[in-house]
Amino acid sequence: MAVPSGDAHDRVVPAAGVPARRAQPRRGAARNGRGLAERLRSRGARGPLRAALASEHTPGLTWYGQHDAHWIGNHQIRRALGRAYTSLQNEQLDVWAAIAGACGWWWPREDVCVVSERPVAVHTEPVLGSVHGEIRPHSGKGHAIRYADGWGVHSWHGTRVPEWVVAEPTVDRIVAEPNAEVRRCAIERIGWDVYIERAGLDLVSTAPDPGNPGCELRLYDMPARLWGGATRVLLAVNGSVERDGTRRRYGLSVPAAIADPVSAAGWSYGLTGAQYSALQRRT
């Protein structure tokens, strides 16, 4: 079986001698293909799985089985709408579609091919503001992606995290964690209010949020032992409503020299405090 090369969307090419206007897909087909690709590519399970396997030194060329569906589906849509393919290209596309429909990731070698089963559980959530209905792995109860043998990946709102972030986050573990994104996820997991209390953060100042009427900005000193240097954290309320109707609280690291919560909020947008105060609504 021939191995595709080049960009995913160019892995099967029009037949030689076919006029360009006939070889090009209809505009609607191109949009559908891009939408499908956006929904199924790395924002879903493939990105965190790739990172997890890379950390365990998985060698060599990898094909992604079901996670190759974005480029396979793109060509199936184009073929169904009349794009010309050779007999060999049609045969190869059908083979790739059969693989995507039957297995997980696989690793071809000289005399052997290692093929993995599909996951037995995949937990996801919609990506807010996405154009094509993208999803990302997320679970607050265990593995976001789990296989039959018990191996899996933990993911918090699309960020791959160690098991402790989901199962048992603590201030001490957060302090010891070198990765800032993992620290952020762990803090979100226990909640900023709980984290501030347990970590003993000192309140610097509060102010109404001019960009989010009815909500409050709270500025805290972050001990150097927690964040590796002098800094402060601004606790704010998300300007956008979550799917369950609530508004999530989040923390932003800001320079230690900022003493005013409104100026800290403006700094996070690249604005001065006065410019931020003039906003009617932030997102």
Side-chain angles (χ1 to χ4, degrees), residues 175-186:
V175 172
E177 173 55 51
N179 186 293
E181 278 296 294
V182 173
R183 290 199 302 266
R184 176 188 61 79
C185 291

Side-chain angles (χ1 to χ4, degrees), residues 124-193:
T124 64
E125 66 176 5
V127 176
L128 294 177
S130 63
V131 177
H132 300 294
E134 293 94 330
I135 58 175
R136 60 190 179 190
H138 170 74
S139 176
K141 298 180 180 179
H143 287 119
I145 306 167
R146 180 172 58 85
Y147 287 81
D149 63 356
W151 187 87
V153 174
H154 292 86
S155 180
W156 183 258
H157 300 300
T159 300
R160 178 177 166 251
V161 295
E163 181 180 5
W164 66 264
V165 172
V166 174
E168 196 175 358
T170 66
V171 170
D172 288 341
R173 282 175 166 166
I174 292 170
V175 172
E177 173 55 51
N179 186 293
E181 278 296 294
V182 173
R183 290 199 302 266
R184 176 188 61 79
C185 291
I187 293 171
E188 289 183 357
R189 178 74 176 97
I190 63 177
W192 275 97
D193 291 342

Side-chain angles (χ1 to χ4, degrees), residues 149-243:
D149 63 356
W151 187 87
V153 174
H154 292 86
S155 180
W156 183 258
H157 300 300
T159 300
R160 178 177 166 251
V161 295
E163 181 180 5
W164 66 264
V165 172
V166 174
E168 196 175 358
T170 66
V171 170
D172 288 341
R173 282 175 166 166
I174 292 170
V175 172
E177 173 55 51
N179 186 293
E181 278 296 294
V182 173
R183 290 199 302 266
R184 176 188 61 79
C185 291
I187 293 171
E188 289 183 357
R189 178 74 176 97
I190 63 177
W192 275 97
D193 291 342
V194 174
Y195 174 74
I196 286 169
E197 179 182 354
R198 292 180 182 176
L201 304 192
D202 294 324
L203 180 65
V204 175
S205 182
T206 66
D209 188 348
N212 199 4
C215 297
E216 184 180 56
L217 297 169
R218 300 175 68 87
L219 187 64
Y220 291 88
D221 260 331
M222 181 75 77
R225 70 179 182 85
L226 295 179
W227 227 250
T231 188
R232 285 178 170 165
V233 62
L234 178 70
L235 187 64
V237 178
N238 198 348
S240 302
V241 178
E242 303 293 325
R243 298 184 73 215

